[in-house]
Amino acid sequence: MFKTFDGHICTLSQIEPGSLDNKIIKKRYLSETNVEMIINAPLIANSAKPGQFIVICNNEKGERIPLTISETDKEAGTIGIIFQMVGRSTIELGAMKEGDVIMSLAGPLGMPSEIENFGNCVVIGGGVGTAIAYPVARALKNAGNNVKVIIGARTESLFILVDEMKAFADEVILTTDDGSCGIHGVVTDPLKELLEKGNVDRVVCIGPLPMMKAVSEFTKPYGVKTIASLDPIMIDGTGMCGGCRVTVDGKTKFACVDGPEFDAHLVDWDGLKTRKSFYREYEAKQKEMAIKEAK
Amino acid sequence: MAVKDQVSMPQQDPKVRIKNFDEVALGYTEEMALEEASRCMNCKAMPCVKSCPVSVNIPKFISLIKEKAYIDALNVIKENNALPAVCGRVCPQEKQCQSTCLFSKMGKPIAIGRLERFVADYEINQGIKSQVDKPKDSSLSKYKVAVVGSGPSGITVAATLATMGYSVTIFEALHKTGGVLRYGIPEFRLPRNILDRELEYVKSLGVKIFTDIIVGRTFQVKDLFEEGFSAVYVASGAGTPKMLGIPGENLSGVFSGNEWLTRVNLMRAYKDEYATPLPVSKKTVVVGAGNTAMDCTRTALRSGAEEVTIVYRRGRAEMPARAEEIENAEEEGVKFNFLVNPAEFLGDEKGVLRAVKCEKMELGEPDASGRRRPVGTGEYFEIEADCAIVALGQNPNPLIRTTTEGLKTESWGGIIIDEETGMTSIPGIFAGGDAVTGEATVISAMGAGKLAAKGIDKYIREK
């Protein structure tokens, strides 16, 4: 049962084509390149859990891109996404306005985050990955954990969701590469302190690949279970194409159905990095095209 | 009496066609169709009907072609088969209807598929809309049936039930309809306008189709029952690709057959203006020798690969692909390397594929499939390659089975069904196609849909 955008309560057998449009309800810039969108998606809002993602294809010639769900509102029938405009598809998506309809949006995909009372959790968000860390951190808090949040950014203006995290987290620690805000350094600096104190039961880290790899290497000697949310190249996102293969513990896993979260200590980070960078030249060309078109 | 030869079908010249995605086989002209139809003896035993998975009345439609009643002929097909233009193109007729034709022993079976295609295309070319004249049972429209997946099996169930009078809704996970017909089969074998037209026909029967809905994720099968559906047909198709499990499999440049085909067919990555990337390969190696493997070789050629080689661990005679597809690939310059098994994918310093290390094989005793088992010789060599496509088939899609409590499946993931009705271990839930059998053919998925439609009708009437 769900509410359509015009306020009708509807059952699955009553849906008419057109009653489920992916209309952008709200759009705001969290920083110069990070955009938040609240989108009408009542069915997904009903079933999405923290850690899951959607796949968007925003025009006839577009590609299918996975984006993590940053929030859900069952009552309003909406979901939120936060993304960085880094390539053709995210630039095109970012150019869409409130009231526009996204051509295709499907989800929720992937396995939900493992949420239990683990004890003391440290949730680390890097860059736009903070948007993915946010619902996971909040769910961990709601499950009774002590949740410390570390957010890293290049510089102060790139921080997102700091106030939102502060609203529930037991502690929020900020780090910047340039020292413009919080600790002058990287996320592993405050993490080290917390690990040294010895009362960390679980680490969840979501951010750029080099950051997640660094965190993983950092926590390994301490024997603290560390979860990373991976974002390999993906196409269908439903477990059909196998494009999102990652090697975990020497075995091939499919991030879209087995993940996207995996035990960071078992992930073949270098293999993932090469797979992710395979299309770099093509992506750069596509981005240029998108920037030109946007102008 | 000398039996006349099969009328051959014109094709695009191989040199030309490897540079485009236009249809390879061009179809019969009216004269050709009449000549081919005239060869049919209209024999009473009708062995062809028995070996058609959806029991099309083949002699009847061919007789109507002889009378130039092409639309009537098409309607005869549509009584049993909602997708004649598709089946006329992609069915393995040589293994089904044509295999039992009286003239098959002489190697000259009636070209049933080509004739089926001719009448389907005739309708399209003449701009006529055929109509199946079966009265609908209006008392059935209050019963709603949900179909998971808009591939060949889902479409068949939907069209069959809609024709009976049921209200049918299809939920498709991808952003486009057609399932494997769209993401798997390349347009040079099945042009997109043909597929779109077949899907429009299904919609014209009153079937509602929703894309972007992933049953098992967006909502569960049980929600469908709670919210007004009387029965559910699961035709969720293929799942994760079968890989080789050898070192280097996750190097950049190594693809599964379905990833490769999805990029090319669904996302149109071979065209510059489409956002999905596709590497431009110099030397492509395709592992496997089924129809998917043939499609991979031929899309690779058309996407600019300079050299495409198939490696297959068995011999030429054991290749599972349709003879016609193998022939097409050979004509287009695909090289075949038999009795060769990949042992490792070798990468360069950047983690990008540079070669496939292979072991030479020889054929030993027959295995469970009745084919001689390939045995390693211990002799290895390397094939230079910057792109490798592993086309060994798919596991059944896991989404429904992992989210539907009580649904019985085989150890390898196939949903277990009653072979008479298509019903699963849960009353009201039916299944068919690749979700049940693992990767098979379009027509067998349609056959399963045909059978399940009867099963669903019986289930609802008896409830």
Side-chain angles (χ1 to χ4, degrees), chain B residues 393-425:
Chain B
Q394 310 277 127
N395 301 304
N397 196 294
L399 285 180
I400 302 284
R401 98 175 111 87
T402 53
T403 55
T404 308
E405 217 178 303
L407 190 67
K408 289 204 177 119
T409 57
E410 304 281 0
S411 56
W412 46 269
I415 299 172
I416 297 174
I417 57 165
D418 178 297
E419 290 193 359
E420 305 255 295
T421 61
M423 189 144 84
T424 66
S425 55

PDB file of all heavy atoms in Angstrom, chain B residues 393-425:
ATOM      1  N   GLY B 393      27.137 -18.883 -19.504  1.00  0.00           N
ATOM      2  CA  GLY B 393      25.779 -19.025 -18.982  1.00  0.00           C
ATOM      3  C   GLY B 393      25.598 -18.299 -17.664  1.00  0.00           C
ATOM      4  O   GLY B 393      26.521 -17.666 -17.146  1.00  0.00           O
ATOM      5  N   GLN B 394      24.375 -18.390 -17.146  1.00  0.00           N
ATOM      6  CA  GLN B 394      23.989 -17.626 -15.961  1.00  0.00           C
ATOM      7  C   GLN B 394      23.378 -18.564 -14.944  1.00  0.00           C
ATOM      8  O   GLN B 394      22.811 -19.590 -15.301  1.00  0.00           O
ATOM      9  CB  GLN B 394      22.908 -16.606 -16.327  1.00  0.00           C
ATOM     10  CG  GLN B 394      23.197 -15.738 -17.512  1.00  0.00           C
ATOM     11  CD  GLN B 394      24.061 -14.559 -17.165  1.00  0.00           C
ATOM     12  OE1 GLN B 394      25.078 -14.344 -17.790  1.00  0.00           O
ATOM     13  NE2 GLN B 394      23.680 -13.806 -16.149  1.00  0.00           N
ATOM     14  N   ASN B 395      23.447 -18.160 -13.697  1.00  0.00           N
ATOM     15  CA  ASN B 395      22.658 -18.834 -12.671  1.00  0.00           C
ATOM     16  C   ASN B 395      21.272 -18.205 -12.681  1.00  0.00           C
ATOM     17  O   ASN B 395      21.116 -17.073 -13.119  1.00  0.00           O
ATOM     18  CB  ASN B 395      23.313 -18.638 -11.311  1.00  0.00           C
ATOM     19  CG  ASN B 395      24.728 -19.177 -11.296  1.00  0.00           C
ATOM     20  OD1 ASN B 395      24.953 -20.335 -11.589  1.00  0.00           O
ATOM     21  ND2 ASN B 395      25.689 -18.316 -10.984  1.00  0.00           N
ATOM     22  N   PRO B 396      20.266 -18.922 -12.161  1.00  0.00           N
ATOM     23  CA  PRO B 396      18.934 -18.300 -12.099  1.00  0.00           C
ATOM     24  C   PRO B 396      18.974 -17.075 -11.190  1.00  0.00           C
ATOM     25  O   PRO B 396      19.738 -17.037 -10.229  1.00  0.00           O
ATOM     26  CB  PRO B 396      18.053 -19.397 -11.494  1.00  0.00           C
ATOM     27  CG  PRO B 396      18.816 -20.661 -11.665  1.00  0.00           C
ATOM     28  CD  PRO B 396      20.262 -20.287 -11.644  1.00  0.00           C
ATOM     29  N   ASN B 397      18.139 -16.081 -11.487  1.00  0.00           N
ATOM     30  CA  ASN B 397      18.138 -14.862 -10.681  1.00  0.00           C
ATOM     31  C   ASN B 397      17.779 -15.150  -9.226  1.00  0.00           C
ATOM     32  O   ASN B 397      16.811 -15.836  -8.944  1.00  0.00           O
ATOM     33  CB  ASN B 397      17.158 -13.845 -11.273  1.00  0.00           C
ATOM     34  CG  ASN B 397      17.422 -12.467 -10.718  1.00  0.00           C
ATOM     35  OD1 ASN B 397      17.235 -12.219  -9.530  1.00  0.00           O
ATOM     36  ND2 ASN B 397      17.898 -11.581 -11.549  1.00  0.00           N
ATOM     37  N   PRO B 398      18.572 -14.616  -8.297  1.00  0.00           N
ATOM     38  CA  PRO B 398      18.395 -14.976  -6.884  1.00  0.00           C
ATOM     39  C   PRO B 398      17.363 -14.124  -6.136  1.00  0.00           C
ATOM     40  O   PRO B 398      16.977 -14.474  -5.025  1.00  0.00           O
ATOM     41  CB  PRO B 398      19.787 -14.715  -6.294  1.00  0.00           C
ATOM     42  CG  PRO B 398      20.348 -13.603  -7.131  1.00  0.00           C
ATOM     43  CD  PRO B 398      19.765 -13.785  -8.506  1.00  0.00           C
ATOM     44  N   LEU B 399      16.902 -13.017  -6.721  1.00  0.00           N
ATOM     45  CA  LEU B 399      16.149 -12.047  -5.917  1.00  0.00           C
ATOM     46  C   LEU B 399      14.854 -12.607  -5.328  1.00  0.00           C
ATOM     47  O   LEU B 399      14.524 -12.342  -4.182  1.00  0.00           O
ATOM     48  CB  LEU B 399      15.854 -10.783  -6.734  1.00  0.00           C
ATOM     49  CG  LEU B 399      17.064  -9.866  -6.938  1.00  0.00           C
ATOM     50  CD1 LEU B 399      16.680  -8.651  -7.752  1.00  0.00           C
ATOM     51  CD2 LEU B 399      17.667  -9.448  -5.608  1.00  0.00           C
ATOM     52  N   ILE B 400      14.101 -13.359  -6.093  1.00  0.00           N
ATOM     53  CA  ILE B 400      12.825 -13.875  -5.586  1.00  0.00           C
ATOM     54  C   ILE B 400      13.066 -15.016  -4.602  1.00  0.00           C
ATOM     55  O   ILE B 400      12.479 -15.064  -3.529  1.00  0.00           O
ATOM     56  CB  ILE B 400      11.935 -14.374  -6.753  1.00  0.00           C
ATOM     57  CG1 ILE B 400      11.682 -13.256  -7.754  1.00  0.00           C
ATOM     58  CG2 ILE B 400      10.638 -14.963  -6.221  1.00  0.00           C
ATOM     59  CD1 ILE B 400      10.697 -12.218  -7.346  1.00  0.00           C
ATOM     60  N   ARG B 401      13.974 -15.910  -4.978  1.00  0.00           N
ATOM     61  CA  ARG B 401      14.146 -17.084  -4.122  1.00  0.00           C
ATOM     62  C   ARG B 401      14.714 -16.717  -2.763  1.00  0.00           C
ATOM     63  O   ARG B 401      14.415 -17.355  -1.769  1.00  0.00           O
ATOM     64  CB  ARG B 401      15.002 -18.132  -4.848  1.00  0.00           C
ATOM     65  CG  ARG B 401      16.457 -18.177  -4.510  1.00  0.00           C
ATOM     66  CD  ARG B 401      17.163 -19.332  -5.215  1.00  0.00           C
ATOM     67  NE  ARG B 401      18.072 -18.861  -6.234  1.00  0.00           N
ATOM     68  CZ  ARG B 401      19.335 -18.521  -5.972  1.00  0.00           C
ATOM     69  NH1 ARG B 401      19.815 -18.587  -4.762  1.00  0.00           N
ATOM     70  NH2 ARG B 401      20.117 -18.100  -6.940  1.00  0.00           N
ATOM     71  N   THR B 402      15.529 -15.665  -2.718  1.00  0.00           N
ATOM     72  CA  THR B 402      16.127 -15.298  -1.433  1.00  0.00           C
ATOM     73  C   THR B 402      15.189 -14.434  -0.597  1.00  0.00           C
ATOM     74  O   THR B 402      15.469 -14.169   0.562  1.00  0.00           O
ATOM     75  CB  THR B 402      17.455 -14.539  -1.628  1.00  0.00           C
ATOM     76  OG1 THR B 402      17.222 -13.441  -2.514  1.00  0.00           O
ATOM     77  CG2 THR B 402      18.523 -15.427  -2.216  1.00  0.00           C
ATOM     78  N   THR B 403      14.078 -13.972  -1.179  1.00  0.00           N
ATOM     79  CA  THR B 403      13.198 -13.099  -0.408  1.00  0.00           C
ATOM     80  C   THR B 403      11.796 -13.683  -0.234  1.00  0.00           C
ATOM     81  O   THR B 403      10.943 -13.041   0.355  1.00  0.00           O
ATOM     82  CB  THR B 403      13.067 -11.721  -1.096  1.00  0.00           C
ATOM     83  OG1 THR B 403      12.623 -11.913  -2.440  1.00  0.00           O
ATOM     84  CG2 THR B 403      14.373 -10.966  -1.105  1.00  0.00           C
ATOM     85  N   THR B 404      11.567 -14.888  -0.771  1.00  0.00           N
ATOM     86  CA  THR B 404      10.233 -15.482  -0.650  1.00  0.00           C
ATOM     87  C   THR B 404      10.323 -16.727   0.217  1.00  0.00           C
ATOM     88  O   THR B 404      10.818 -17.772  -0.217  1.00  0.00           O
ATOM     89  CB  THR B 404       9.669 -15.835  -2.044  1.00  0.00           C
ATOM     90  OG1 THR B 404       9.763 -14.678  -2.873  1.00  0.00           O
ATOM     91  CG2 THR B 404       8.213 -16.261  -1.959  1.00  0.00           C
ATOM     92  N   GLU B 405       9.863 -16.595   1.445  1.00  0.00           N
ATOM     93  CA  GLU B 405       9.966 -17.684   2.404  1.00  0.00           C
ATOM     94  C   GLU B 405       9.138 -18.876   1.945  1.00  0.00           C
ATOM     95  O   GLU B 405       8.000 -18.721   1.521  1.00  0.00           O
ATOM     96  CB  GLU B 405       9.461 -17.190   3.759  1.00  0.00           C
ATOM     97  CG  GLU B 405      10.254 -17.754   4.926  1.00  0.00           C
ATOM     98  CD  GLU B 405       9.743 -17.187   6.237  1.00  0.00           C
ATOM     99  OE1 GLU B 405       9.736 -15.939   6.378  1.00  0.00           O
ATOM    100  OE2 GLU B 405       9.341 -17.991   7.070  1.00  0.00           O
ATOM    101  N   GLY B 406       9.722 -20.056   2.033  1.00  0.00           N
ATOM    102  CA  GLY B 406       8.982 -21.271   1.710  1.00  0.00           C
ATOM    103  C   GLY B 406       9.050 -21.673   0.249  1.00  0.00           C
ATOM    104  O   GLY B 406       8.510 -22.708  -0.133  1.00  0.00           O
ATOM    105  N   LEU B 407       9.710 -20.876  -0.565  1.00  0.00           N
ATOM    106  CA  LEU B 407       9.811 -21.196  -1.997  1.00  0.00           C
ATOM    107  C   LEU B 407      10.937 -22.215  -2.186  1.00  0.00           C
ATOM    108  O   LEU B 407      12.093 -21.952  -1.885  1.00  0.00           O
ATOM    109  CB  LEU B 407      10.110 -19.926  -2.802  1.00  0.00           C
ATOM    110  CG  LEU B 407      10.008 -20.057  -4.312  1.00  0.00           C
ATOM    111  CD1 LEU B 407       8.569 -20.295  -4.746  1.00  0.00           C
ATOM    112  CD2 LEU B 407      10.553 -18.808  -4.996  1.00  0.00           C
ATOM    113  N   LYS B 408      10.566 -23.382  -2.673  1.00  0.00           N
ATOM    114  CA  LYS B 408      11.571 -24.449  -2.809  1.00  0.00           C
ATOM    115  C   LYS B 408      12.377 -24.266  -4.096  1.00  0.00           C
ATOM    116  O   LYS B 408      11.823 -24.006  -5.159  1.00  0.00           O
ATOM    117  CB  LYS B 408      10.893 -25.815  -2.802  1.00  0.00           C
ATOM    118  CG  LYS B 408      10.340 -26.180  -1.439  1.00  0.00           C
ATOM    119  CD  LYS B 408      10.205 -27.689  -1.277  1.00  0.00           C
ATOM    120  CE  LYS B 408       9.730 -28.008   0.133  1.00  0.00           C
ATOM    121  NZ  LYS B 408       8.435 -28.695   0.151  1.00  0.00           N
ATOM    122  N   THR B 409      13.693 -24.442  -3.952  1.00  0.00           N
ATOM    123  CA  THR B 409      14.571 -24.313  -5.115  1.00  0.00           C
ATOM    124  C   THR B 409      15.552 -25.475  -5.165  1.00  0.00           C
ATOM    125  O   THR B 409      15.782 -26.154  -4.169  1.00  0.00           O
ATOM    126  CB  THR B 409      15.379 -23.000  -5.061  1.00  0.00           C
ATOM    127  OG1 THR B 409      16.127 -22.974  -3.838  1.00  0.00           O
ATOM    128  CG2 THR B 409      14.488 -21.774  -5.130  1.00  0.00           C
ATOM    129  N   GLU B 410      16.122 -25.675  -6.335  1.00  0.00           N
ATOM    130  CA  GLU B 410      17.185 -26.660  -6.504  1.00  0.00           C
ATOM    131  C   GLU B 410      18.444 -26.136  -5.817  1.00  0.00           C
ATOM    132  O   GLU B 410      18.551 -24.936  -5.554  1.00  0.00           O
ATOM    133  CB  GLU B 410      17.499 -26.859  -7.998  1.00  0.00           C
ATOM    134  CG  GLU B 410      16.315 -27.258  -8.854  1.00  0.00           C
ATOM    135  CD  GLU B 410      15.971 -28.736  -8.739  1.00  0.00           C
ATOM    136  OE1 GLU B 410      16.658 -29.457  -7.985  1.00  0.00           O
ATOM    137  OE2 GLU B 410      15.006 -29.168  -9.390  1.00  0.00           O
ATOM    138  N   SER B 411      19.411 -27.028  -5.594  1.00  0.00           N
ATOM    139  CA  SER B 411      20.646 -26.605  -4.929  1.00  0.00           C
ATOM    140  C   SER B 411      21.367 -25.525  -5.740  1.00  0.00           C
ATOM    141  O   SER B 411      22.038 -24.665  -5.197  1.00  0.00           O
ATOM    142  CB  SER B 411      21.570 -27.805  -4.743  1.00  0.00           C
ATOM    143  OG  SER B 411      21.812 -28.411  -5.998  1.00  0.00           O
ATOM    144  N   TRP B 412      21.181 -25.538  -7.073  1.00  0.00           N
ATOM    145  CA  TRP B 412      21.858 -24.547  -7.914  1.00  0.00           C
ATOM    146  C   TRP B 412      21.012 -23.302  -8.109  1.00  0.00           C
ATOM    147  O   TRP B 412      21.376 -22.396  -8.854  1.00  0.00           O
ATOM    148  CB  TRP B 412      22.278 -25.149  -9.253  1.00  0.00           C
ATOM    149  CG  TRP B 412      21.201 -25.970  -9.901  1.00  0.00           C
ATOM    150  CD1 TRP B 412      20.999 -27.314  -9.746  1.00  0.00           C
ATOM    151  CD2 TRP B 412      20.157 -25.525 -10.769  1.00  0.00           C
ATOM    152  NE1 TRP B 412      19.898 -27.720 -10.457  1.00  0.00           N
ATOM    153  CE2 TRP B 412      19.359 -26.650 -11.101  1.00  0.00           C
ATOM    154  CE3 TRP B 412      19.815 -24.276 -11.315  1.00  0.00           C
ATOM    155  CZ2 TRP B 412      18.249 -26.561 -11.935  1.00  0.00           C
ATOM    156  CZ3 TRP B 412      18.713 -24.196 -12.152  1.00  0.00           C
ATOM    157  CH2 TRP B 412      17.944 -25.332 -12.453  1.00  0.00           C
ATOM    158  N   GLY B 413      19.843 -23.245  -7.447  1.00  0.00           N
ATOM    159  CA  GLY B 413      19.093 -21.991  -7.450  1.00  0.00           C
ATOM    160  C   GLY B 413      17.833 -21.967  -8.284  1.00  0.00           C
ATOM    161  O   GLY B 413      17.041 -21.041  -8.161  1.00  0.00           O
ATOM    162  N   GLY B 414      17.641 -22.956  -9.145  1.00  0.00           N
ATOM    163  CA  GLY B 414      16.436 -22.973  -9.979  1.00  0.00           C
ATOM    164  C   GLY B 414      15.194 -23.185  -9.117  1.00  0.00           C
ATOM    165  O   GLY B 414      15.214 -23.994  -8.193  1.00  0.00           O
ATOM    166  N   ILE B 415      14.125 -22.441  -9.424  1.00  0.00           N
ATOM    167  CA  ILE B 415      12.885 -22.599  -8.656  1.00  0.00           C
ATOM    168  C   ILE B 415      12.234 -23.920  -9.064  1.00  0.00           C
ATOM    169  O   ILE B 415      12.142 -24.231 -10.253  1.00  0.00           O
ATOM    170  CB  ILE B 415      11.923 -21.417  -8.928  1.00  0.00           C
ATOM    171  CG1 ILE B 415      12.581 -20.095  -8.498  1.00  0.00           C
ATOM    172  CG2 ILE B 415      10.589 -21.611  -8.193  1.00  0.00           C
ATOM    173  CD1 ILE B 415      11.795 -18.848  -8.900  1.00  0.00           C
ATOM    174  N   ILE B 416      11.808 -24.707  -8.072  1.00  0.00           N
ATOM    175  CA  ILE B 416      11.191 -26.000  -8.360  1.00  0.00           C
ATOM    176  C   ILE B 416       9.705 -25.799  -8.660  1.00  0.00           C
ATOM    177  O   ILE B 416       9.003 -25.125  -7.915  1.00  0.00           O
ATOM    178  CB  ILE B 416      11.370 -26.967  -7.165  1.00  0.00           C
ATOM    179  CG1 ILE B 416      12.868 -27.238  -6.945  1.00  0.00           C
ATOM    180  CG2 ILE B 416      10.599 -28.272  -7.396  1.00  0.00           C
ATOM    181  CD1 ILE B 416      13.184 -28.048  -5.713  1.00  0.00           C
ATOM    182  N   ILE B 417       9.245 -26.376  -9.780  1.00  0.00           N
ATOM    183  CA  ILE B 417       7.831 -26.245 -10.150  1.00  0.00           C
ATOM    184  C   ILE B 417       7.213 -27.609 -10.431  1.00  0.00           C
ATOM    185  O   ILE B 417       7.923 -28.572 -10.703  1.00  0.00           O
ATOM    186  CB  ILE B 417       7.644 -25.357 -11.407  1.00  0.00           C
ATOM    187  CG1 ILE B 417       8.450 -25.910 -12.588  1.00  0.00           C
ATOM    188  CG2 ILE B 417       7.985 -23.906 -11.113  1.00  0.00           C
ATOM    189  CD1 ILE B 417       8.052 -25.328 -13.924  1.00  0.00           C
ATOM    190  N   ASP B 418       5.901 -27.650 -10.367  1.00  0.00           N
ATOM    191  CA  ASP B 418       5.140 -28.808 -10.805  1.00  0.00           C
ATOM    192  C   ASP B 418       5.136 -28.784 -12.335  1.00  0.00           C
ATOM    193  O   ASP B 418       4.732 -27.790 -12.935  1.00  0.00           O
ATOM    194  CB  ASP B 418       3.715 -28.694 -10.261  1.00  0.00           C
ATOM    195  CG  ASP B 418       2.836 -29.841 -10.726  1.00  0.00           C
ATOM    196  OD1 ASP B 418       2.606 -29.984 -11.951  1.00  0.00           O
ATOM    197  OD2 ASP B 418       2.388 -30.580  -9.856  1.00  0.00           O
ATOM    198  N   GLU B 419       5.581 -29.859 -12.944  1.00  0.00           N
ATOM    199  CA  GLU B 419       5.769 -29.808 -14.398  1.00  0.00           C
ATOM    200  C   GLU B 419       4.469 -29.754 -15.188  1.00  0.00           C
ATOM    201  O   GLU B 419       4.462 -29.414 -16.363  1.00  0.00           O
ATOM    202  CB  GLU B 419       6.652 -30.968 -14.849  1.00  0.00           C
ATOM    203  CG  GLU B 419       8.074 -30.726 -14.369  1.00  0.00           C
ATOM    204  CD  GLU B 419       9.091 -31.634 -14.996  1.00  0.00           C
ATOM    205  OE1 GLU B 419       8.704 -32.491 -15.812  1.00  0.00           O
ATOM    206  OE2 GLU B 419      10.274 -31.475 -14.668  1.00  0.00           O
ATOM    207  N   GLU B 420       3.378 -30.121 -14.545  1.00  0.00           N
ATOM    208  CA  GLU B 420       2.086 -30.079 -15.237  1.00  0.00           C
ATOM    209  C   GLU B 420       1.500 -28.673 -15.247  1.00  0.00           C
ATOM    210  O   GLU B 420       0.877 -28.249 -16.214  1.00  0.00           O
ATOM    211  CB  GLU B 420       1.081 -30.988 -14.523  1.00  0.00           C
ATOM    212  CG  GLU B 420       1.555 -32.415 -14.358  1.00  0.00           C
ATOM    213  CD  GLU B 420       0.841 -33.331 -15.325  1.00  0.00           C
ATOM    214  OE1 GLU B 420      -0.378 -33.467 -15.183  1.00  0.00           O
ATOM    215  OE2 GLU B 420       1.526 -33.878 -16.225  1.00  0.00           O
ATOM    216  N   THR B 421       1.682 -27.949 -14.121  1.00  0.00           N
ATOM    217  CA  THR B 421       0.978 -26.672 -13.956  1.00  0.00           C
ATOM    218  C   THR B 421       1.902 -25.469 -13.871  1.00  0.00           C
ATOM    219  O   THR B 421       1.454 -24.333 -13.995  1.00  0.00           O
ATOM    220  CB  THR B 421       0.166 -26.682 -12.642  1.00  0.00           C
ATOM    221  OG1 THR B 421       1.090 -26.850 -11.546  1.00  0.00           O
ATOM    222  CG2 THR B 421      -0.852 -27.793 -12.622  1.00  0.00           C
ATOM    223  N   GLY B 422       3.175 -25.699 -13.629  1.00  0.00           N
ATOM    224  CA  GLY B 422       4.099 -24.580 -13.447  1.00  0.00           C
ATOM    225  C   GLY B 422       4.045 -23.978 -12.054  1.00  0.00           C
ATOM    226  O   GLY B 422       4.699 -22.971 -11.794  1.00  0.00           O
ATOM    227  N   MET B 423       3.250 -24.599 -11.151  1.00  0.00           N
ATOM    228  CA  MET B 423       3.137 -24.017  -9.806  1.00  0.00           C
ATOM    229  C   MET B 423       4.349 -24.384  -8.951  1.00  0.00           C
ATOM    230  O   MET B 423       4.882 -25.481  -9.034  1.00  0.00           O
ATOM    231  CB  MET B 423       1.847 -24.472  -9.115  1.00  0.00           C
ATOM    232  CG  MET B 423       1.587 -23.722  -7.827  1.00  0.00           C
ATOM    233  SD  MET B 423      -0.170 -23.408  -7.550  1.00  0.00           S
ATOM    234  CE  MET B 423      -0.679 -24.931  -6.798  1.00  0.00           C
ATOM    235  N   THR B 424       4.782 -23.424  -8.128  1.00  0.00           N
ATOM    236  CA  THR B 424       5.911 -23.658  -7.234  1.00  0.00           C
ATOM    237  C   THR B 424       5.423 -24.339  -5.966  1.00  0.00           C
ATOM    238  O   THR B 424       4.266 -24.732  -5.864  1.00  0.00           O
ATOM    239  CB  THR B 424       6.571 -22.324  -6.842  1.00  0.00           C
ATOM    240  OG1 THR B 424       5.635 -21.582  -6.047  1.00  0.00           O
ATOM    241  CG2 THR B 424       6.939 -21.498  -8.064  1.00  0.00           C
ATOM    242  N   SER B 425       6.299 -24.424  -4.969  1.00  0.00           N
ATOM    243  CA  SER B 425       5.922 -25.048  -3.696  1.00  0.00           C
ATOM    244  C   SER B 425       4.918 -24.196  -2.933  1.00  0.00           C
ATOM    245  O   SER B 425       4.342 -24.651  -1.955  1.00  0.00           O
ATOM    246  CB  SER B 425       7.166 -25.285  -2.850  1.00  0.00           C
ATOM    247  OG  SER B 425       7.882 -24.074  -2.687  1.00  0.00           O
TER     248      SER B 425
END
